[in-house]
Amino acid sequence: MQNPVICSNTCLSLFWSLQLHSDQDKGDDSLKYILSGDGAGTLFVIDEKTGDIHATRRIDREEKASYTLRAQAVNRKSGKPVEPESEFTIKIHDINDNEPTFSDEVYSASVPEMSDIGTFVVQVTAADADDPSYGNSAKVVYSILQGQPYFSVDPDTGIIRTALPNMNRENREHYQVVIQAKDMGGQMGGLSGTTTVNITLTDVNDNPPRFLQNTYHFSIPESSPVGTTIGRIKAADADIGKNAEVQYRITDGDEMNMFDIVTDKFTQDGVITVRKYLDYETRRLYTLKVEAMNILMDPRFYYLGPFKDTAAVKISIEDVDEHPIFSRPSYLFEVLEDIDIGTIVGTVMARDPDGASSPIRFSLDRHTDLDRIFNIHSGNGSIYTSKSLDREISQWHNLSIIATELNNPKQATRVHVYVKVLDVNDNAPEFATFYDTFVCENARAGQLIQTISAIDKDDPPGGQKYFFSLAAVNPNFTVQDIEDNTARIVARRNGFNRHEISNYLLPVVISDNDYPIQSSTGTLTIRVCACDNQGNLQSCNAEALLLPAGLSTGALIAILLCIIILLVIVVLFAAMKRQRKKEPLILSKEDIRDNIVSYNDEGGGEEDTQAFDIGTLRNPGAMEDKKLRRDIVPETLLLPRRTASAPDSTDVRDFINQRLKEHDIDPTAPPYDSLATYAYEGNDSIAESLSSLESGTTESDHNYEYLKEWGPQFNKLAEMYGGGESDRDL
C-alpha cells in the first residue's frame, strides 16, 4: 500500500484522484479495493478494481482541514484481505477564498465635542476564515473609506480616533464613517469587507446663556394677589440637557423684595411673580436687573466665559379701586359678663387705601350674631352690647365686621372680631348631685352619714373654693368641712327611731370664696332606716314594725293572704245581707259614696234607654237578658248569661272564682272597674250562718265589734293598695 498523501488545494476538484495499489495485485482482477474512514463513500469514493480515490465534490478547508481514511485490498472471491489495512491522512491546503467580516454590520459610538486630536472613539474588528498560518490569506488591514478628515483608523488595530480639533456639536452633531478591512495584507487581489460607524458628538457646556433682548417691559394691577405671574423672560443656551439648564436671580432694583423669579423646568424660562402686595400709591414703577447663568459649568471651557448674561426688567403698577383695609388682620376684645347694656367692648378701624379716599361704613354680619347680642356704630366702628352677657351660656362670641366704601359699595372687606366674656362671680354653688341619704337607727354619735360636694358655674382664675356649714344648729346632725371642696355629714347623737321620725331635713349652706361671695342653701333629706350590725341598709318603711319581729318572708306572705281572704269574706257577707233585704237601687242620700266615676259618655238622650245602666252596680239581676249596649260594639257577640246556683257541695271561694272568670271573658260586662254583687247567700248549714258572726235582719242588728281590732290594719292595707275613703269604712 502506498504511504498517506497530502493533497494541495490545486487538486480539490471532481477530477482530482489518488490511486492505491497493492503488491499482490497481478492485474487479473482478482483483488478488490475497499475504503473506510472520514467521508468514505460520500466525499471520497474508490474504484474497487483500480484503487483510484476520487473526491465527489469541492472540499472546503474552513469546514474541515484534514480527513483520516483506511484502505485495504481483499480477494474478490473469498473476501479475505490479502494485505493488512493501511491508514492515511488527507490534509487540505488553504486558499484565499474568504473575505474579512466585521463583528457588527453597523457600529454606534460617541465622543465629546471639542475633543483633542487623537481622542479614542471606538474600535472595530474584522475576522478572516482563512488559515492565518498559511500565507497572507488571513492578514487583515483596516482603512477609512468615508469620514475624513474628521476621523482616522489604525490599519492594524481598527481603532478609530478624532482627526480634527475642537469639533463643535452645535455646528454638526452626527457623522457616518465607513471602514474597510482587506486581507492579503492589503495587497492587490485580496478580499475585503466594510462596516459603517455612526459617531455622535456629545454636548459639553461650552455655550453661555444669552437673553433674547436687553430690556423687558411688564405691567400688573396693584390688586394682584401674592403669587401672581407678571411675565416670562428667556435666556437661550445653545447647549442641551443639563448643560442648558439656567438659573435666574434678581440682582438689583428690588430693595423691598416685592418680586420673585423662578425657572420653569420644562421651558427654562424665567417666571417673575408677585412676592408682596403691591400699592400703586406707594410706588408705580420698578426696574429690576435679572441675571441668567448655567447651573453646571465645565472648567475646561472657562476661557469661553462668562457663562451668564443680564437683562433689565421694568414693571409698571396699574391703579385699581381697592377695598378698605382694616388696621389689624383680626381683633380680640375682652369684657366682663356683668357690664351694662350699651357698653362699648372695642372699636375696629379701616381706611380706603386709594388716593381719592372714600368714607367707610361699618356693619355687623348678623349671621355671626343670631341672638343680636352686639351692635356696631356704622361711622366709627365701635362695637357695643345690646343684650346682657352671660359667660355661663357663651364664653366666646365670634363676630364678622364688614367695612364698605360709601362711594363704591361693591368694595367691602371683612374682619374677624373675637369677644371673650370674662367671668364674674354671679352664680352660687350648689350640690354636685342629688344625695339619697339615710341614717341607721343604731347609728352612733360621730358616725359618718354622707360625704357631699358642690359645683359652681363660675370659673374664678384661682379655682373654686367652697365652704360648708349648717343654716342653724341641729341637735341630730352636723357638717364637718374637709376643706377640699367636700364636707361630711356626721350624726351628733346615738340612735334614731324611724317610727317616731322617719325623715330629717338638714339645710346646708354652701359658699364660695370669690368676690362678691355667693352662697346657697341645699336641703338634705335624711331617711331613718333599719340596718344590720355592719351598717347595711335593710328597710326604711315605718310600717314594718306592725308585723311581729323575726318572721320569715314566707310567714309574712301567709299572714297577708289570710287578711285578704278575711276581707273578701266580710265584703261577701255584707253583700248577701243587702240582697236578702231586697233593698232598692238607692236607699238614701247617706248611702251615696264618694267614689264618683266619670266615663265621658254623654249617651243618646231620652231615647237612649239601652246605654249604661248604673243599676247593674247594685243588682246584677236587673240587667235585661239578651239586650246589648248600643253605644259600644263588643268584639265577640256573646249573650249575657246567668250562672246557676251552686250545688250544695260547692265552696264559696270556688263559686267566687268561677264568677270572676265568667266576668273576665264576658264582652258585655261593663268596661270599667266596679263592685259586682251576687244574689247568692249559699245553702243552709247546720251552723245557720256563713261564719261565727251572727247576722241580723237589718244592718243595725249586726255586731261589728270584731272589726275594732283589725280595722286599722284593714285601713292601712286599703291605703297601700289604692283604696279610697269608702274602703276605710270597713
Side-chain angles (χ1 to χ4, degrees), residues 429-449:
E430 57 187 14
F431 283 132
T433 184
F434 172 77
Y435 294 100
D436 185 12
T437 308
F438 70 91
V439 61
C440 296
E441 289 184 305
N442 56 358
R444 301 297 180 186
Q447 181 175 336
L448 175 64
I449 303 302

Side-chain angles (χ1 to χ4, degrees), residues 451-472:
T451 299
I452 60 176
S453 61
I455 57 174
D456 194 335
K457 296 179 180 179
D458 295 321
D459 187 17
Q464 294 285 7
K465 176 64 177 177
Y466 304 121
F467 303 95
F468 301 87
S469 61
L470 292 180

Side-chain angles (χ1 to χ4, degrees), residues 279-308:
D279 188 7
Y280 173 83
E281 288 72 27
T282 302
R283 188 170 178 179
R284 303 180 182 183
L285 178 65
Y286 293 87
T287 301
L288 310 179
K289 184 179 181 181
V290 179
E291 179 183 82
M293 63 182 300
N294 285 137
I295 298 176
L296 299 177
M297 289 181 290
D298 194 331
R300 295 178 300 170
F301 305 105
Y302 279 167
Y303 67 92
L304 298 175
F307 283 82
K308 59 184 178 179

Side-chain angles (χ1 to χ4, degrees), residues 100 102 124 126-128 136-145 153-158 179-187 191-194:
F102 285 95
V124 296
D128 196 317
N136 293 327
S137 299
K139 185 178 181 181
V140 178
V141 175
Y142 300 95
S143 62
I144 184 167
L145 301 181
V153 62
D154 188 296
D156 296 326
T157 62
I179 303 297
Q180 181 190 64
K182 190 175 183 180
D183 59 11
M184 298 296 292
Q187 298 177 7
L191 302 179
S192 65
T194 61

Side-chain angles (χ1 to χ4, degrees), residues 431 434-443 449-450 470 473-478 489-508 522-530 540:
F431 283 132
F434 172 77
Y435 294 100
D436 185 12
T437 308
F438 70 91
V439 61
C440 296
E441 289 184 305
N442 56 358
I449 303 302
Q450 179 74 59
L470 292 180
V473 177
N474 191 292
N476 302 306
F477 306 97
T478 186
I489 307 299
V490 178
R492 296 189 63 182
R493 64 183 180 87
N494 297 328
F496 294 86
N497 191 335
R498 56 180 167 153
H499 304 291
E500 295 178 358
I501 300 178
S502 60
N503 295 295
Y504 290 91
L505 300 179
L506 184 65
V508 179
T523 301
L524 285 177
T525 300
I526 304 176
R527 298 180 297 151
V528 181
C529 301
C540 294

